[in-house]
Amino acid sequence: MAKSLKDHLSPYVVTKGRQFRLADCDTDARGWKMSKDEMEDALQTGVARLGELQEKLYAQDQWGVLLIFQAMDAAGKDGAIKHVMSGVNPQGCEVYSFKAPSAEDLDHDFMWRTSKCLPERGRIGIFNRSYYEETLVVRVHPEFLQKQKLPPSLVKKRIWKQRFEDINAFERYLSRNGFVIRKFFLNVSKKEQKKRFLERIDQSQKNWKFSAADAKERGCWDQYMEAYEDMIRKTATGYAPWIVVPADNKRFARLVVAATVIDALEDLNLRFPRVSPEQKKALEAIRVALERERA
Ligand code: ATP
Ligand code: MG
């Protein structure tokens, strides 16, 4: 699956942001002629492959992986994380969700709370929202910036440009330290969001997923899209690409996420650590001792 999908991933991967336009991006999987069953099968295969790769990542304990998920409400972040990681050993994977910052968070620099949650080597760390909110919700609602206790002389128009620079520098630093970064923007259409909101209202078991705040943020759709576009333009890099995932079709979105992570891990040429001849000899000696035991 990885091989065949890899060829099709390229339209969604953004490594150079300068020319990026959200209007050019698909929200549904137009052009993809896969049936539901074919997508399910491909995802199953992908999930199993991911499990194998993660085992090696963990055993080798050199590289680490950071996956960042950003999206409008109801775009399917939670479902994508749940399905794609379902074949991965929970010991090798950590998911952190970043909601509105606490008083303690606001007493620090904007990357503080996420920095504390970075993955160890050998692990896959997942950020469900991230420091990118600092260039999205905070940009759409300037009153949030006021609450950040920044010295007023530092809050100028260029603050967003500075945040992008700082984020790029931070991600480059992480990548130079052996942490592979992939950033997913689940690109859902306004129409599909409406449909999913209505489902959350109509189906009582989905009511808990919906809040009036979500509807309010929908009212700022265009400002959000502008903020997302600018964010991708300024922070899509070779070392930390954005993957703009068509998210109106949940199955397809999950496939793109799975294929991206598989592709990133396959590029690392992961191997189980090799055992030296001395270690092999020592293992053999232990085997002999074990076999001599009576019980
Ligand atoms: P779900 O998709 O299940 O609703 P969620 O990620 O939307 O999950 P919420 O409980 O709705 O979770 O809380 C997330 C909210 O916190 C979002 O509206 C997000 O914009 C906001 N948030 C995240 N980071 C920041 C930040 N740095 N400053 C202000 N608001 C933030
Ligand atoms: Mg929400």
Side-chain angles (χ1 to χ4, degrees), residues 38-98:
E38 281 169 334
M39 284 200 225
E40 290 289 346
D41 285 351
L43 190 59
Q44 288 287 313
T45 314
V47 163
R49 177 74 186 129
L50 210 54
E52 290 165 12
L53 287 162
Q54 184 261 340
E55 217 179 306
K56 287 186 189 159
L57 180 83
Y58 189 88
Q60 196 183 39
D61 203 16
Q62 288 180 352
W63 296 96
V65 178
L66 176 63
L67 307 177
I68 292 180
F69 288 82
Q70 287 291 157
M72 295 297 282
D73 280 303
K77 281 185 282 112
D78 295 8
I81 294 168
K82 180 171 133 186
H83 282 83
V84 173
M85 300 324 272
S86 60
V88 164
N89 181 345
Q91 285 204 74
C93 178
E94 281 151 9
V95 185
Y96 294 95
S97 296
F98 296 98

Side-chain angles (χ1 to χ4, degrees), residues 73 77-78 98-101 113 129 133-134 137-138 144:
D73 280 303
K77 281 185 282 112
D78 295 8
F98 296 98
K99 317 236 167 194
R113 65 171 176 158
R129 303 189 189 272
E133 290 290 332
E134 294 291 337
V137 66
V138 179
F144 291 156

Side-chain angles (χ1 to χ4, degrees), residues 72-74 77 99 129 197 200 209-211 213-214:
M72 295 297 282
D73 280 303
K77 281 185 282 112
K99 317 236 167 194
R129 303 189 189 272
F197 276 0
R200 289 180 177 190
K209 284 193 186 181
F210 188 73
S211 80
D214 296 349

Side-chain angles (χ1 to χ4, degrees), residues 109-163:
D109 59 279
F110 80 86
M111 300 250 236
W112 180 76
R113 65 171 176 158
T114 39
S115 299
K116 288 189 300 180
C117 302
L118 289 171
E120 291 173 38
R121 295 188 193 283
R123 309 273 170 107
I124 300 176
I126 297 178
F127 285 178
N128 183 347
R129 303 189 189 272
S130 65
Y131 42 81
Y132 280 104
E133 290 290 332
E134 294 291 337
T135 71
L136 296 166
V137 66
V138 179
R139 198 171 184 186
V140 172
H141 298 286
E143 64 275 18
F144 291 156
L145 193 60
Q146 299 308 314
K147 287 194 204 144
Q148 295 193 346
K149 299 172 72 176
L150 287 157
S153 62
L154 300 181
V155 185
K156 296 269 161 62
K157 223 176 129 205
R158 61 173 183 267
I159 192 165
W160 310 115
K161 183 171 172 273
Q162 291 174 337
R163 287 194 169 182

